[in-house]
Structure formats: structure tokens, C-alpha cells
Amino acid sequence: MCDSLKQDYNLCEELGRGRFGVVYRCYSAAAATGDAFACKSIHKYSLSTDSTDRRCLDTEPKILRLLSGCPNILRLHDVYEDDEYLHLVTDLCDGGDLYDRVSSGARFTEADAAAILKQLMVAIACCHRLGVAHRDIKPDNILFDSRGKLKLADFGSAELFEISEMSGVVGTPYYVAPEVLMGRNYNEKVDVWSAGVILYIMLAGIPPFYGEGPAETFEAVLRANLRFPTKIFRSVSPEAKDLLRKMICRDVSRRLSAEQVLRHPWIINGGETTSMAD
């Protein structure tokens, strides 16, 4: 373990473990406040030299520093590096993630879904204003702190789109935008598509596009045949469906921007319905 990290923080129990590292709870050795943080320790040699996963060693700290101070984004407090590990000290989010909440298939009330989506879109809009596309918006990367505040995390696939054109297939089958799969250059609105898929799942309990495996799911995404099954969407308001159509829109030029989503009546009214026709 890095000596300077051990001097600055007291590392405690393990919170989670992935393919490339471990997350620990930790406390500042200098502060008397008792505030807890998370330390994500990435093992460098677990990443193959030709893998895009290695990009997180450079990309994630750089992007998190750029986004420092943005609301609803996981804050990076310190970075440490030794021969074997990269250590990222961030906010502690011990309130679980959105994946835990949606994986049961439970459906959210429109008010609850709107509250979550608004926080997510605030984070995405801040990213886009600063020229950052997340490119892997999914429930697993949407965390909650102990007070229930949403924090967007995991910027290992993020890209600075104002510096270079974005291309390459990144993301997760259910949530990836069709233009990403088509192998062409794309823009930051891929994040809006993914957020729209998350909204659909919160309201319906199922994803809008799926198949028996990744290949069939990708085919369904490319067709982008958005449907609202009557049995599932009978109680969902026309306003919510209108927003879904404008976020999960195959035509990128007609797809809403993150800022436009935040100005949609359904978001402004907190999921409360008005008299919009379906």
C-alpha cells in the first residue's frame, strides 16, 4: 500500500471488489470530523496493455478533476500512485446504487423517477457544458450517498468531445445508443439516450430494447422500435411518454440535449401530470 496514502488516510473495511481492484472505506488521518471516504485501489497489472480498460488509469482522475464541484457527480478528493496501484479517494456512497433499485423489476412512481432523473440530468448537463461525455450511463454507475443524494460515477470510458471526435463501441448493451453501435462518429447526446433508457426501466420495470444475448440486444437497439405496451404503460402519463420519445430518439438531431431534458414540463413539475394529450 502506498506510504503517503497510509499517512493521510486510515483504511478500514473492504466495501467491494471488482476485476481490477478493491474499494475500501477510509477516514482522513488529519481531520477530526470523522467524515468517511471511499478509496478505489486499481491494480495496474490486472489491466492488459492493449485493453481500453487501461485508459481509466489516466482518464478517470483527469476527468474527475475537471468535473470537481459539479453537482451530483462523485467528487475526487485525492490521487495516489505507487508501482502497483492507482488509488482514488472519493466521496463515500453507502446508500447503494440504482442497479439495486431496478434489478428487482419494481416500478417507480413518476414522482420518484422524476426526482432521480432530474439529479442524473443535472450531472450529465454539467459534464456536457465542460466538454465531457460519460459514455457509460447505466444504473450500476449511479450511486447514492447516505442522505439519498445521487452521484454519477465511473468515468473510465469518458471522453473530452470538444478535443477530438468520438468513435468506437463503448457502453453496455441495454443502454448504448444506436449511433455508437453503427461505428460512426457521435456526440454527447449518447448520454441522453442512455438516461432515457434508465427512465423507461424505472417506469416499466423492463428495458425498451432487449434480446436473448448481447448480439440480439444490439440488433433491437439498432432498430430502435420504441413501444409502450398498454398493460405496462396504462398508468404512465402522456407527459412521461413524451419525454421518453424525445430522449430515446434514433434521430440525433431531434433528440433532446441534457439541458432541454431539464426544461421538459414532466421534469419541471416533478413527475406530476397535466393535461398533455398522449
Side-chain angles (χ1 to χ4, degrees):
M1 188 65 70
C2 180
D3 289 339
S4 55
L5 170 63
K6 290 191 291 186
Q7 291 173 0
D8 294 342
Y9 291 91
N10 298 317
L11 268 65
C12 300
E13 74 273 21
E14 180 180 317
L15 299 176
R17 181 177 293 265
R19 286 189 300 158
F20 307 128
V22 184
V23 179
Y24 301 94
R25 184 189 302 269
C26 65
Y27 297 87
S28 172
T33 59
D35 290 340
F37 302 90
C39 177
K40 179 180 179 181
S41 297
I42 302 168
H43 192 259
K44 296 178 182 180
Y45 301 110
S46 65
L47 306 175
S48 60
T49 56
D50 60 347
S51 171
T52 55
D53 289 324
R54 279 195 73 86
R55 293 180 67 255
C56 69
L57 293 177
D58 297 318
T59 301
E60 190 163 19
K62 179 180 179 180
I63 295 293
L64 285 174
R65 284 194 181 102
L66 176 63
L67 299 175
S68 177
C70 280
N72 298 111
I73 291 178
L74 191 73
R75 182 180 176 188
L76 179 67
H77 296 275
D78 283 303
V79 178
Y80 301 88
E81 188 170 2
D82 55 32
D83 291 340
E84 293 188 55
Y85 286 91
L86 176 71
H87 308 279
L88 307 179
V89 179
T90 67
D91 293 335
L92 175 67
C93 293
D94 51 5
D97 58 37
L98 187 58
Y99 179 81
D100 293 334
R101 303 187 185 190
V102 302
S103 58
S104 65
R107 294 161 66 182
F108 292 59
T109 67
E110 291 195 33
D112 288 344
I116 290 173
L117 184 68
K118 182 177 181 179
Q119 292 182 80
L120 175 58
M121 297 313 301
V122 165
I124 293 173
C126 187
C127 289
H128 292 179
R129 284 195 299 271
L130 293 172
V132 175
H134 187 284
R135 301 203 302 172
D136 195 18
I137 302 289
K138 60 183 178 181
D140 319 51
N141 293 334
I142 298 170
L143 312 180
F144 298 93
D145 65 17
S146 58
R147 296 172 296 175
K149 183 177 181 180
L150 182 149
K151 302 276 188 175
L152 180 59
D154 196 346
F155 284 80
S157 297
E159 192 68 79
L160 295 166
F161 61 82
E162 292 185 342
I163 294 177
S164 60
E165 291 184 329
M166 293 188 294
S167 61
V169 179
V170 295
T172 303
Y174 290 134
Y175 308 98
V176 67
E179 62 267 27
V180 175
L181 298 177
M182 294 170 71
R184 60 180 59 167
N185 293 333
Y186 48 83
N187 65 24
E188 70 277 11
K189 286 187 180 180
V190 296
D191 291 340
V192 176
W193 173 284
S194 302
V197 172
I198 289 172
L199 175 59
Y200 188 105
I201 291 172
M202 286 194 291
L203 295 176
I206 58 171
F209 314 113
Y210 56 89
E212 291 297 322
E216 286 190 15
T217 298
F218 287 150
E219 289 177 6
V221 170
L222 286 169
R223 289 193 297 271
N225 185 14
L226 183 64
R227 295 180 177 179
F228 301 115
T230 303
K231 184 177 180 180
I232 297 175
F233 278 88
R234 182 179 293 110
S235 60
V236 175
S237 70
E239 293 91 340
K241 295 175 191 175
D242 178 74
L243 179 56
L244 284 167
R245 291 188 187 98
K246 292 174 178 176
M247 294 178 74
I248 312 175
C249 178
R250 196 173 187 276
D251 184 346
V252 180
S253 67
R254 296 175 56 208
R255 190 183 307 161
L256 297 184
S257 68
E259 296 283 2
Q260 288 172 326
V261 172
L262 287 169
R263 295 195 295 269
H264 190 276
W266 188 78
I267 292 292
I268 292 174
N269 295 326
E272 296 293 330
T273 60
T274 59
S275 58
M276 179 183 289
D278 196 352

